[in-house]
Amino acid sequence: MEKPVIIGIGYTRIGEHWEKSLRELAVEAALMALDNAGVNRVDAIYVSNMMSGALQEQEHLGSLIATYLGLKGTPACKIEAACASGGMAIHQAFLAVASGYYDTVLVVGVEKMTDRLTSEVTFALAMAEDREYVVSTGATFVGLNALLYRLYLTKFNVDQKSIAKFPVIAHENALNAPHAQLKRKISVEDVLSSPIIADPIHLFECAPIGDGAAALVIASPKAAKESQKDTYIELAGSAAATDIMSLHERLDLLTLFASVKASQKAYKMAKVKPSDIDILEVHDAFSILAPIALEDLGFAKKGEGWKMIENMDVSLSGNLPTNTMGGLKARGHPVGATGIYQAVDAILQLKGEAGKNQVDNPTLALLQSTGGVGGTVVVNILKKR
């Protein structure tokens, strides 16, 4: 099997785009990706999005975006896997191109959240959990992640200051990311003195609400050669997995089984191991997810992921630079587009185009895209060719 390659990227700044609609954001990013790839047509379009039905009262995004791109006749559909929608769209494009059925696929992720009240967005986000048996009790995503956080602190006897360093690092990285939403330096003291949203999670440990779109053109090696690109980014490994959806039914709350399974499959496909990875993009919608991800992906022993944060191993100058453009916490988290933004950030690093945030000569990047509280996880491994 020839591995697909990424030949074009596009993205908008993440923030409050009052003047742009969901379709306008998606088209802006998509046109940038097509232009970057040097193509004007593709064989298929996958649109990753979670909440357009709830927030814009608009579904059928595949046809909508194809229409406004002027690509009549192109097969297109929406792909939804909660916050893992972007990662899943990349995975589906990987399968479609690797199978030989399509030569080029446009993947565009988009979410428009700021036009609605926070309570409405919170309600829509909760659709990623079991509405009938969990959300009906009043549970929210921040509340569910707070349960993990409290258990992690207690079970492993961890000082919360160590985990609170992760959003501090994220904000530091976002300062020089032109597309980041939150360009503000913060301290551990700022994090721990910010309002508690669900004990022990503070406001500055949560990803913000924002609008944005990002896009990729994924192609076969043959199609990539025709585009005459000098540098290719290979999708060396791509795998998806699910876990039991709700926390109360799981045997181990502090291991996201889907993350473990998907990463193991992706490592095997790419023929690499955790120690080979140069840069990492993890799903840090809440700060506690960062140390858990480091453990589940094989970079730290169980209960010791926080040590990598405490020791600054995940900073730009550390052994494993992580979320180098600010991650969900500071770059932003427009849900359906987040997995695509992770790929964009990693590609900028691999191509040496990350500006002041550039890591020294990276060749391998791992992206972890998580839906719900680990109900779905997609792991994509990118390799510079």
Side-chain angles (χ1 to χ4, degrees):
M1 177 182 71
E2 281 197 298
K3 303 289 180 64
V5 294
I6 300 172
I7 61 172
I9 64 172
Y11 54 94
T12 70
R13 178 185 57 82
I14 301 174
E16 299 181 0
H17 289 283
W18 301 103
E19 76 288 359
K20 295 179 181 178
S21 68
L22 178 139
R23 76 186 70 185
E24 289 173 321
L25 287 169
V27 168
E28 180 180 340
L31 288 175
M32 181 179 175
L34 291 169
D35 182 66
N36 185 244
V39 300
N40 55 25
R41 299 200 66 84
V42 291
D43 296 324
I45 303 169
Y46 295 155
V47 183
S48 59
N49 171 273
M50 178 187 171
M51 298 177 288
S52 66
L55 300 184
Q56 282 77 46
E57 299 176 0
Q58 176 70 63
E59 291 290 5
H60 207 184
L61 294 189
S63 181
L64 180 72
I65 302 308
T67 296
Y68 280 84
L69 283 172
L71 295 177
K72 175 184 176 181
T74 306
C77 67
K78 170 179 172 176
I79 292 178
E80 185 276 318
C83 299
S85 297
M88 185 63 79
I90 294 172
H91 178 60
Q92 294 303 317
F94 171 91
L95 296 176
V97 174
S99 72
Y101 194 83
Y102 294 138
D103 278 329
T104 55
V105 175
L106 171 66
V107 177
V108 54
V110 63
E111 205 76 67
K112 189 84 169 69
M113 303 163 72
T114 61
D115 290 351
R116 303 300 289 261
L117 297 174
T118 300
S119 58
E120 294 174 314
V121 176
T122 300
F123 186 81
L125 285 168
M127 292 180 181
E129 243 299 344
D130 190 323
R131 174 70 65 184
E132 187 173 358
Y133 292 111
V134 177
V135 180
S136 62
T137 68
T140 62
F141 267 108
V142 65
L144 295 172
N145 280 274
L147 294 175
L148 300 186
Y149 206 155
R150 177 60 64 194
L151 180 59
Y152 191 95
L153 294 175
T154 303
K155 183 174 182 179
F156 301 123
N157 192 28
V158 179
D159 189 328
Q160 190 172 359
K161 290 180 180 179
S162 297
I163 296 174
K165 276 190 175 182
F166 197 82
V168 173
I169 295 169
H171 274 254
E172 182 74 27
N173 294 347
L175 289 175
N176 294 311
H179 54 300
Q181 181 175 3
L182 300 180
K183 296 187 179 185
R184 171 189 173 187
K185 194 170 184 176
I186 61 173
S187 66
V188 171
E189 291 70 28
D190 291 331
V191 174
L192 297 180
S193 63
S194 64
I196 286 183
I197 305 302
D199 191 22
I201 297 180
H202 294 262
L203 177 63
F204 283 10
E205 295 183 281
C206 307
I209 290 172
D211 310 329
L216 308 171
V217 177
I218 298 175
S220 66
K222 177 182 177 182
K225 289 177 182 177
E226 292 173 357
S227 72
Q228 298 182 342
K229 288 287 181 180
D230 294 328
T231 302
Y232 301 127
I233 304 301
E234 180 185 90
L235 261 167
S238 182
T242 57
D243 196 352
I244 294 173
M245 190 170 185
S246 302
L247 294 181
H248 67 279
E249 295 182 287
R250 297 182 191 173
L251 296 177
D252 182 359
L253 296 184
L254 297 181
T255 297
L256 300 187
F257 169 80
S259 193
V260 175
K261 187 174 181 64
S263 64
Q264 289 176 346
K265 291 171 68 176
Y267 286 135
K268 183 177 181 180
M269 183 183 297
K271 297 181 180 179
V272 299
K273 52 188 182 298
S275 60
D276 295 323
I277 301 300
D278 298 308
I279 52 175
L280 178 64
E281 288 286 332
V282 298
H283 182 91
D284 62 326
F286 304 100
S287 59
I288 183 57
L289 295 176
I292 292 175
L294 290 168
E295 296 160 15
D296 291 341
L297 296 172
F299 299 105
K301 294 180 181 178
K302 182 53 61 179
E304 296 186 2
W306 64 272
K307 294 181 181 180
M308 294 184 67
I309 301 169
E310 174 65 34
N311 297 333
M312 302 293 284
D313 291 329
V314 294
S315 68
L316 287 178
S317 59
N319 297 325
L320 184 64
T322 301
N323 293 6
T324 65
M325 296 293 184
L328 283 66
K329 173 63 188 78
R331 179 205 59 234
H333 181 32
V335 179
T338 292
I340 313 299
Y341 274 104
Q342 289 181 322
V344 164
D345 292 353
I347 290 166
L348 291 174
Q349 288 285 354
L350 295 173
K351 295 181 73 173
E353 299 173 359
K356 292 182 179 180
N357 286 5
Q358 184 62 51
V359 173
D360 186 29
N361 197 31
T363 58
L364 278 169
L366 184 145
L367 323 175
Q368 178 217 35
S369 189
T370 303
V373 190
T376 298
V377 176
V378 184
V379 172
N380 291 300
I381 296 176
L382 307 185
K383 182 178 180 180
K384 179 180 178 179
R385 283 177 51 172

